[in-house]
Amino acid sequence: MNEFYQKDIISIKDFNKVQLEQIFASTDKIIKLNPIERREICKGNGLGYLFYEPSTRTRLSFDAAMASVGGNSLGISDISSSSTKKGESLADTVRIMSNYSDVLVLRHPLDGSSRFAAEVSSKPVINAGSGTEEHPTQAIQDLFTIRKEKKKIDGLKIGIIGDLKYGRTVYSLLHGLGNYDVDVHLISPESLRIRSDSIYEIKKKLSFTESTKIEDYIDDLDVLYVTRIQKERFPDEEEYLKVKGSYVVGLDLLQKMKDDSIILHPLPRLDEISTDVDNTKNAKYFEQAEYGKHTRAALLGLILNENGF
């Protein structure tokens, strides 16, 4: 039985380890299938996307993922050219778009937006980023990348560095890591520490340490997950300028890391990872972006096929 059939993907908290491993197995299958077989998985199905915030990788990877499994995509990537500009509500836009598609992908700046959309939509809704809450498909992509590149997740030492307060990818990743036996170290400026009100549930499943100094952990990490300090999330630009450029991962830092450690980033990046790192064997953030297409293709295949694929 395919338990993902017609399922909303709103929060990584809705998944246990067994379910995550099922998605990873389906992703491995997607990668191994030849293009002709792959295009049969969602043939004739349509994906509708609603992006109320700018996006490159997430929107295009969903688009590419749907095309790779034989479906098509339509939607709104710029709300200034939609009826939202005329005052149309999110509820009405979701209802209309769900009439035109078989699965709906939503990115919105307000917390709770995807869960609300799932309540009014007649088709499954995938959360592609809701406010500062979560980004579940990014977490699935991140976990798959770790598993693929390190051959496991259990037993690893993982550092997460940068904007831990506003970074929704961080919260989803931590919830996902709560299904595994890992050591997690959180590194950020004091003003960007993880929000205490948002980690109450995480603490029940995952233990972690916090520090402002990357040097405290760098030589012991198997995975370094770097996040951008997000200027657009700051209510006060002066506060942003105080923490801008707090951490830069360059070749000097890389030399202190384990030889087989990997560096990840949900992208886009600014100056937090030097371009000198890009061509090293440790840099896996571009592979991570490619895995995002495959994990999303697997999710779409599971959501749209009653008996899986």
Side-chain angles (χ1 to χ4, degrees):
M1 181 181 175
N2 172 22
E3 62 182 299
F4 298 100
Y5 179 60
Q6 296 295 298
K7 179 182 176 70
D8 297 312
I9 309 296
I10 305 301
S11 171
I12 196 71
K13 291 181 280 187
D14 298 332
F15 296 89
N16 57 38
K17 184 176 181 178
V18 171
Q19 292 169 322
L20 289 170
E21 293 295 329
Q22 287 173 345
I23 295 170
F24 299 155
S26 295
T27 304
D28 283 327
K29 184 176 180 179
I30 285 279
I31 293 171
K32 292 172 185 175
L33 283 174
N34 68 60
I36 294 174
E37 293 175 309
R38 197 182 300 132
R39 284 194 291 269
E40 291 296 314
I41 294 173
C42 292
K43 187 176 181 180
N45 285 282
L47 178 148
Y49 55 82
L50 289 170
F51 278 71
Y52 287 74
E53 287 184 320
S55 172
T56 300
R57 275 149 299 277
T58 302
R59 183 177 65 81
L60 292 180
S61 70
F62 267 112
D63 204 348
M66 193 55 158
S68 74
V69 290
N72 57 76
S73 304
L74 57 85
I76 300 168
S77 58
D78 179 8
I79 61 169
S80 66
S81 62
S82 74
S83 289
T84 300
K85 195 72 174 176
K86 302 175 185 177
E88 183 172 62
S89 68
L90 174 62
D92 283 359
T93 304
V94 166
R95 289 186 181 103
I96 293 299
M97 282 298 296
S98 64
N99 288 335
Y100 299 156
S101 54
D102 299 291
V103 58
L104 193 62
V105 177
L106 174 68
R107 169 170 287 188
H108 198 281
L110 293 181
D111 292 359
S113 51
S114 289
R115 200 166 294 282
F116 170 73
E119 292 174 359
V120 299
S121 175
S122 60
K123 304 293 169 53
V125 171
I126 301 176
N127 177 5
S130 56
T132 59
E133 290 180 312
E134 278 201 67
H135 194 343
T137 63
Q138 178 71 48
I140 291 169
Q141 160 187 345
D142 296 341
L143 291 168
F144 180 81
T145 303
I146 294 170
R147 180 179 175 273
K148 197 74 173 173
E149 295 296 333
K150 296 298 295 179
K151 311 304 180 189
K152 63 177 183 177
I153 299 177
D154 284 318
L156 295 179
K157 295 179 180 179
I158 300 170
I160 305 176
I161 184 171
D163 181 357
L164 309 186
K165 182 177 182 179
Y166 299 113
R168 58 193 170 201
T169 61
V170 171
Y171 293 95
S172 285
L173 178 58
L174 287 172
H175 279 294
L177 287 172
N179 291 288
Y180 297 88
D181 179 19
V182 292
D183 289 333
V184 175
H185 305 295
L186 305 180
I187 306 144
S188 70
E190 283 290 344
S191 62
L192 292 179
R193 291 179 63 171
I194 197 159
R195 301 191 307 270
S196 58
D197 61 313
S198 298
I199 57 170
Y200 177 75
E201 291 181 63
I202 294 173
K203 283 184 172 180
K204 295 178 183 178
K205 301 193 300 179
L206 184 71
S207 61
F208 54 83
T209 63
E210 295 183 79
S211 176
T212 59
K213 298 178 181 178
I214 190 170
E215 292 79 13
D216 290 347
Y217 308 110
I218 193 64
D219 61 345
D220 203 31
L221 297 177
D222 300 297
V223 180
L224 178 62
Y225 188 93
V226 186
T227 68
R228 174 176 63 95
I229 294 181
Q230 303 175 84
K231 181 179 180 180
E232 68 273 20
R233 302 284 180 200
F234 281 74
D236 183 350
E237 186 173 354
E238 286 298 318
E239 292 302 310
Y240 165 73
L241 293 173
K242 289 178 183 178
V243 294
K244 179 186 176 185
S246 294
Y247 307 102
V248 177
V249 178
L251 293 178
D252 55 337
L253 195 66
L254 186 59
Q255 290 174 357
K256 300 175 182 178
M257 298 179 70
K258 291 180 179 178
D259 186 60
D260 63 346
S261 62
I262 62 172
I263 299 171
L264 303 181
H265 193 307
L267 302 176
R269 69 168 165 187
L270 298 179
D271 55 1
E272 60 274 7
I273 299 180
S274 168
T275 55
D276 294 341
V277 175
D278 293 355
N279 294 321
T280 68
K281 64 180 181 180
N282 311 83
K284 297 297 179 182
Y285 29 91
F286 294 120
E287 288 88 343
Q288 180 184 1
E290 182 179 1
Y291 289 141
K293 181 185 79 170
H294 300 312
T295 52
R296 290 178 175 112
L299 276 172
L300 291 168
L302 292 168
I303 290 169
L304 294 171
N305 289 280
E306 186 171 1
N307 297 314
F309 61 88

